[in-house]
Amino acid sequence: MPLTATRPSPGRTCRLSKEPNPHELSAKAPSGTRDVGARDTDGMAVASFMFGLTGLLVGNLILGPTAVVLSTLALGCGTRRPRRAWFGMFLGFADIAVFAALLAANDSVTWHL
């Protein structure tokens, strides 16, 4: 099941869950969910940047979209490193563009010097 992020309301941390329930009023977290702290969102921002940077050289098709998803989740949950998340998103889209350019130029998904 895919994980989704809900926007945090004042006084509440962002929550990753299998089934988002924005109308939940209880203080207890439902099964299958956990609170996402600042460390988690900062880690997602840094990971998106690193995946995007690495994806420029290898694994464009896998690392690019992964960088975009991680940066979107980090920005949605309110990371303390929004620039890093935006750079990760930019690099993720650049990975996809490099993949498309290589596919058009070589009729292949690989490249060599």
Side-chain angles (χ1 to χ4, degrees):
M1 293 187 155
L3 294 177
T4 58
T6 57
R7 297 233 5 123
S9 61
R12 194 177 110 180
T13 58
C14 187
R15 190 180 298 280
L16 289 178
S17 66
K18 294 180 183 176
E19 297 175 6
N21 187 2
H23 303 294
E24 177 187 351
L25 298 175
S26 70
K28 183 181 176 187
S31 63
T33 65
R34 70 180 186 91
D35 289 338
V36 177
R39 184 174 178 196
D40 291 335
T41 57
D42 289 348
M44 284 190 277
V46 171
S48 72
F49 178 75
M50 295 306 296
F51 283 161
L53 196 60
T54 306
L56 289 174
L57 299 175
V58 294
N60 313 74
L61 187 60
I62 295 170
L63 295 178
T66 303
V68 172
V69 168
L70 283 174
S71 63
T72 303
L73 285 173
L75 288 169
C77 289
T79 182
R80 293 180 297 185
R81 298 179 181 203
R83 286 185 184 167
R84 183 81 39 100
W86 281 110
F87 286 145
M89 185 177 292
F90 171 75
L91 289 171
F93 284 124
D95 292 347
I96 297 168
V98 166
F99 175 76
L102 289 173
L103 188 62
N106 298 333
D107 292 330
S108 173
V109 295
T110 61
W111 59 277
H112 55 82
L113 296 176

